[in-house]
Amino acid sequence: MKTSVTQENLAKAVSAVSRMVSNRSALPVLSNILIATESGRLKLSATNLEVGINYWIGAKVEEEGSITVPARLFQEFITSLSDGNIDLATDGDSLVVEAPQVKSSINGIGAEEFPLIPQLKTEPVLQLTADELKDALAQVVVAASSDEARPVLTGVYIYNEGNKLILVSTDSYRLAEKKITLKKKPTTDINLIVPARTIQELVRLLGDSEAGLSLFVSDNQIMFEIDGVELTSRLIDGQFPDYRQIIPKGSETVIEAATDEVSRVTKLASLFARENAGSIRLDVKAEGRMDVVANPSQVGENTSSTNCQVEGENSEISLNARYLSDALGVIKNDNLTIILNGKLNPCVIHPADDKPDYLHIIMPLRT
Amino acid sequence: MKTSVTQENLAKAVSAVSRMVSNRSALPVLSNILIATESGRLKLSATNLEVGINYWIGAKVEEEGSITVPARLFQEFITSLSDGNIDLATDGDSLVVEAPQVKSSINGIGAEEFPLIPQLKTEPVLQLTADELKDALAQVVVAASSDEARPVLTGVYIYNEGNKLILVSTDSYRLAEKKITLKKKPTTDINLIVPARTIQELVRLLGDSEAGLSLFVSDNQIMFEIDGVELTSRLIDGQFPDYRQIIPKGSETVIEAATDEVSRVTKLASLFARENAGSIRLDVKAEGRMDVVANPSQVGENTSSTNCQVEGENSEISLNARYLSDALGVIKNDNLTIILNGKLNPCVIHPADDKPDYLHIIMPLRT
């Protein structure tokens, strides 16, 4: 291999790709990233066997070739170089890197040991923009489970109903559902579960991009493609539970309040709730006030109030403070709606909107 | 106790004071901060028995009193409150905190269990400004040892020669010395060793302040006083080694280079030097170039160059990359001077200046 790239492009690609590298892999080559010339461009790849990434950048290719090099060293090294051109060349199992006033040789592993990251060479199932998918995924993945005992709950369930794309996660204590209206129906119906870790990496990768994003699906894999980057992930086997039954229909008490105010009082109460396993109580007064209460514990007690609009009767509910602040953290609207149906039924939180496209449901704590 | 303070003042004080609290103390009261009314102000105190802090803020005092409360909870709580007045009152061993729409009770421990932080009620030995002492301390403490086997090296040695105040640290592999010219001679001669941890806390505490700072000394304690804050520390017993003998007199090869350029090439080499215990080599060419070389190791090798002015002969020296970057990190001048006397003698680094007030000496590695 003999090729030349700009430091800026290479640094961006290496930073994105090296995130997928597992630091604790038993297979040394999985700590490396693959660098390969391909059709006049340079391809960087990494995989942890669950999710893999291929990242193409423009390059002047003089000699085709490929090699793998340690991800961490290569990333730190490339991002520490100044702007300018970087020459890359293989020398046996080493990669020789030359930049102005810098010459390095990095010991690598032959590219033939690197696992293949499949490219799903089908038609895209659907297309949308990076920013709309990113925000939606971030709002949903927060509710996914980290308990491997029920694998289907450790992912984001993605399906469609006509031109509605619906994203759902739940860890059985809380549930988040987001609906996106697509310009065009998917070419085939979608019904799959993507690992939460893949989704978290995808959210980071999408960054602030507003580019178009295509989604490709095979039997057991999904691929997201955007601007010369492909993220390929295994899917989670199994049937996502029929979650619609737990979305409460009633609306005995409906609160509308400023999102940052509710965040502030939740934060205060949560400090005092640590000894009580995070349990805090929302105490809603029909006259227009919500108290957030941390009950007396070893450390003390706290009550903080916020003004709000209340429709319906006085109500109260005990919630896990962390679940509530996770939900508040992903609601970007200035105002939010909280719906209570007594202290034994789940609480619904959504952006203040007559037809919200996002619902966050939290199960009550029995106290 | 019954008193009222502003959130802004209290948050600032609590944040500064709670830093001194040890999280791993066997004595529960040492995880707490003391809050006490005193002469119409509110005093906050914390100590880890090595260093203690008293921090006064303005307060409206209705009833004298004192209590201790858990530092971490109190700090997170107070800094999470909005601007405005905060009322503090004791209720038995609890502290009741009221702010607009917030009411809390924090369980504490009686103030009588809190150790006394001595105030050195003597005349100040010397006075200078916070910013000049802070920068000087930060430049020196980086070379202090963390090895408790030789306690005198775990501190900053502070002494005076007439109106010169001299600060020194060494871990025996490197040494940093800074001279400050005082407007007035100290009232008595100074010759003491302050623990590096105290110095690090003092540097943080001084922040960007340009206020006047007074220094008080007793037999085994030192107190720094600035703007209503007193930091009191034990001193380290013992005799600091006579370090002046190791400051090289010669100047066979004198290099002047841009500080950020030397930092950049050092960083690049250090990435490749990890497997070689951080060993890098400076290779100086009389024609005006310095190569920083990481020798071949398991990961690879690297040579980076920077242009520089060289007086004298070609020279080279092997150094620990971390020691070199520590030194570069505290030299704020655009240009620096490196003095070499062959590969077996210590290397001297100082800001480019005919009469530098700062010297950093690094022992060579034998290779």
Side-chain angles (χ1 to χ4, degrees):
Chain A
M1 183 173 76
K2 206 166 166 196
T3 179
S4 169
V5 293
T6 67
Q7 188 269 346
E8 192 190 350
N9 283 344
L10 186 57
K12 206 173 145 199
V14 174
S15 298
V17 164
S18 60
R19 285 200 47 82
M20 310 297 158
V21 172
S22 152
N23 292 317
R24 298 168 297 167
S25 175
L27 207 59
V29 77
L30 293 183
S31 303
N32 283 15
I33 61 179
L34 172 69
I35 303 172
T37 59
E38 196 178 282
S39 323
R41 292 190 295 172
L42 193 67
K43 181 177 83 169
L44 286 88
S45 306
T47 180
N48 59 19
L49 300 182
E50 174 167 287
V51 47
I53 186 170
N54 291 318
Y55 198 122
W56 284 267
I57 57 174
K60 214 171 76 189
V61 177
E62 274 184 61
E63 246 181 68
E64 304 285 340
S66 57
I67 191 170
T68 80
V69 287
R72 183 168 161 233
L73 172 66
F74 193 61
Q75 191 249 326
E76 288 182 300
F77 175 58
I78 296 298
T79 54
S80 299
L81 291 173
S82 312
D83 283 3
N85 274 317
I86 298 178
D87 295 326
L88 303 173
T90 47
D91 175 13
D93 275 349
S94 292
L95 179 69
V96 177
V97 185
E98 287 191 67
Q101 294 199 304
V102 178
K103 180 164 182 176
S104 280
S105 169
I106 300 177
N107 297 337
I109 299 176
E112 66 285 355
E113 293 193 29
F114 199 79
L116 191 74
I117 299 169
Q119 289 182 262
L120 309 186
K121 287 291 177 207
T122 51
E123 285 298 300
V125 177
L126 70 88
Q127 289 172 301
L128 66 180
T129 65
D131 50 343
E132 63 184 327
L133 187 63
K134 180 198 154 186
D135 291 346
L137 291 171
Q139 286 189 302
V140 169
V141 71
V142 70
S145 170
S146 52
D147 179 359
E148 299 290 342
R150 283 191 69 189
V152 292
L153 299 189
T154 64
V156 174
Y157 177 42
I158 304 180
Y159 69 103
N160 77 301
E161 286 177 350
N163 72 338
K164 290 268 181 212
L165 186 70
I166 302 160
L167 316 173
V168 189
S169 276
T170 179
D171 62 6
S172 80
Y173 303 107
R174 54 191 168 157
L175 179 145
E177 182 200 55
K178 174 81 178 183
K179 293 183 181 175
I180 300 176
T181 304
L182 299 170
K183 292 208 182 71
K184 263 174 63 182
K185 254 177 43 173
T187 53
T188 57
D189 274 343
I190 298 176
N191 192 308
L192 44 84
I193 306 171
V194 183
R197 279 193 299 265
T198 299
I199 298 297
Q200 283 150 353
E201 290 304 336
L202 180 62
V203 166
R204 275 197 203 92
L205 184 68
L206 296 179
D208 297 325
S209 171
E210 295 178 1
L213 183 145
S214 302
L215 213 141
F216 301 79
V217 178
S218 75
D219 273 357
N220 53 6
Q221 303 226 303
I222 188 167
M223 185 176 93
F224 302 89
E225 194 250 297
I226 174 177
D227 250 357
V229 184
E230 293 173 355
L231 190 76
T232 305
S233 170
R234 73 168 180 90
L235 295 172
I236 295 176
D237 258 347
Q239 186 64 39
F240 200 78
D242 179 17
Y243 69 92
R244 273 152 297 206
Q245 67 194 6
I246 75 147
I247 298 179
K249 306 284 177 294
S251 52
E252 285 176 20
T253 307
V254 180
I255 301 112
E256 188 174 326
T259 307
D260 58 355
E261 265 296 293
V262 180
S263 292
R264 198 178 63 81
V265 294
T266 300
K267 166 88 189 284
L268 290 172
S270 72
L271 297 174
F272 289 81
R274 287 185 189 138
E275 309 274 325
N276 276 342
S279 169
I280 60 174
R281 194 175 78 245
L282 309 189
D283 199 347
V284 180
K285 306 294 185 198
E287 73 261 27
R289 206 180 82 222
M290 181 167 75
D291 291 344
V292 179
V293 182
N295 284 327
S297 72
Q298 210 187 323
V299 297
E301 58 187 284
N302 168 267
T303 299
S304 307
S305 308
T306 179
N307 299 327
C308 53
Q309 289 174 36
V310 179
E311 278 172 37
E313 19 187 304
N314 286 354
S315 188
E316 64 170 57
I317 189 168
S318 290
L319 299 174
N320 183 309
R322 185 166 71 82
Y323 295 166
L324 180 56
S325 46
D326 281 350
L328 297 169
V330 293
I331 292 183
K332 299 302 174 194
N333 297 48
D334 289 346
N335 292 296
L336 57 78
T337 302
I338 303 176
I339 302 169
L340 302 182
N341 289 289
K343 62 200 260 185
L344 299 180
N345 288 308
C347 134
V348 179
I349 304 171
H350 64 71
D353 189 315
D354 284 345
K355 292 189 176 172
D357 58 7
Y358 179 67
L359 291 182
H360 201 109
I361 294 161
I362 304 177
M363 303 299 284
L365 296 171
R366 308 274 164 118
T367 50
Chain B
M1 183 174 75
K2 207 167 164 193
T3 179
S4 169
V5 291
T6 68
Q7 188 268 345
E8 192 190 349
N9 284 343
L10 186 57
K12 207 173 144 198
V14 173
S15 298
V17 164
S18 59
R19 284 200 46 82
M20 311 295 158
V21 172
S22 152
N23 292 317
R24 298 167 297 167
S25 175
L27 206 59
V29 78
L30 292 183
S31 304
N32 283 15
I33 61 180
L34 172 69
I35 303 171
T37 59
E38 196 178 281
S39 320
R41 292 190 295 172
L42 194 67
K43 181 177 83 168
L44 286 89
S45 306
T47 180
N48 60 19
L49 299 182
E50 172 167 289
V51 46
I53 185 170
N54 292 317
Y55 198 123
W56 283 267
I57 56 174
K60 216 171 75 189
V61 177
E62 274 184 59
E63 246 180 69
E64 304 285 340
S66 57
I67 190 170
T68 80
V69 289
R72 184 168 160 232
L73 172 65
F74 194 60
Q75 191 249 327
E76 289 183 300
F77 176 56
I78 296 298
T79 54
S80 300
L81 291 172
S82 311
D83 282 2
N85 275 316
I86 298 179
D87 295 327
L88 303 173
T90 46
D91 176 12
D93 275 348
S94 292
L95 178 69
V96 177
V97 185
E98 288 192 67
Q101 294 199 304
V102 178
K103 181 164 182 176
S104 282
S105 169
I106 300 177
N107 297 337
I109 300 176
E112 65 285 356
E113 293 193 30
F114 198 80
L116 190 73
I117 299 168
Q119 289 180 262
L120 308 187
K121 285 294 175 208
T122 52
E123 286 298 301
V125 177
L126 70 89
Q127 289 173 301
L128 65 180
T129 64
D131 49 344
E132 62 184 327
L133 187 62
K134 180 199 154 187
D135 291 345
L137 291 171
Q139 285 188 302
V140 169
V141 71
V142 69
S145 170
S146 52
D147 179 0
E148 299 290 342
R150 283 191 69 188
V152 292
L153 299 189
T154 64
V156 174
Y157 177 42
I158 304 179
Y159 68 103
N160 76 301
E161 286 177 351
N163 71 338
K164 290 269 181 212
L165 187 71
I166 301 160
L167 316 173
V168 188
S169 276
T170 179
D171 62 6
S172 81
Y173 304 108
R174 52 188 168 162
L175 180 146
E177 182 200 55
K178 174 81 178 183
K179 294 184 181 175
I180 301 175
T181 304
L182 299 169
K183 291 209 184 68
K184 264 173 63 181
K185 255 179 40 174
T187 55
T188 58
D189 274 342
I190 299 177
N191 190 310
L192 45 82
I193 306 171
V194 184
R197 280 192 297 266
T198 300
I199 298 297
Q200 283 150 353
E201 290 305 336
L202 181 62
V203 167
R204 276 197 203 91
L205 183 68
L206 296 178
D208 298 324
S209 173
E210 297 178 0
L213 182 146
S214 304
L215 212 141
F216 300 79
V217 178
S218 77
D219 274 356
N220 53 6
Q221 303 227 303
I222 189 167
M223 186 175 93
F224 303 88
E225 194 249 298
I226 173 176
D227 251 358
V229 184
E230 292 173 357
L231 190 76
T232 305
S233 171
R234 71 168 181 89
L235 294 172
I236 295 177
D237 259 348
Q239 186 63 40
F240 200 78
D242 179 17
Y243 68 91
R244 273 154 297 205
Q245 65 192 9
I246 75 146
I247 298 180
K249 305 282 177 293
S251 50
E252 286 176 20
T253 307
V254 180
I255 301 114
E256 188 173 327
T259 308
D260 58 356
E261 265 298 292
V262 181
S263 292
R264 198 177 63 80
V265 292
T266 301
K267 166 87 188 285
L268 290 173
S270 72
L271 297 174
F272 289 81
R274 286 184 190 138
E275 309 274 326
N276 276 343
S279 169
I280 60 174
R281 194 175 79 243
L282 310 189
D283 200 347
V284 180
K285 306 295 184 197
E287 73 260 25
R289 205 180 85 221
M290 181 167 73
D291 291 344
V292 180
V293 182
N295 284 327
S297 72
Q298 208 188 323
V299 298
E301 58 187 284
N302 169 266
T303 299
S304 306
S305 309
T306 178
N307 299 327
C308 53
Q309 289 173 36
V310 180
E311 279 172 39
E313 15 186 308
N314 285 354
S315 189
E316 64 170 57
I317 190 169
S318 289
L319 299 174
N320 183 309
R322 185 166 71 80
Y323 294 167
L324 180 56
S325 47
D326 282 351
L328 296 169
V330 294
I331 292 184
K332 300 300 176 195
N333 297 48
D334 289 346
N335 292 296
L336 56 78
T337 301
I338 303 176
I339 303 169
L340 302 182
N341 289 289
K343 62 200 262 187
L344 298 180
N345 287 306
C347 136
V348 179
I349 303 170
H350 64 71
D353 190 315
D354 283 344
K355 292 190 176 172
D357 58 7
Y358 179 67
L359 291 182
H360 200 109
I361 294 161
I362 305 177
M363 303 299 284
L365 296 172
R366 308 274 165 119
T367 51

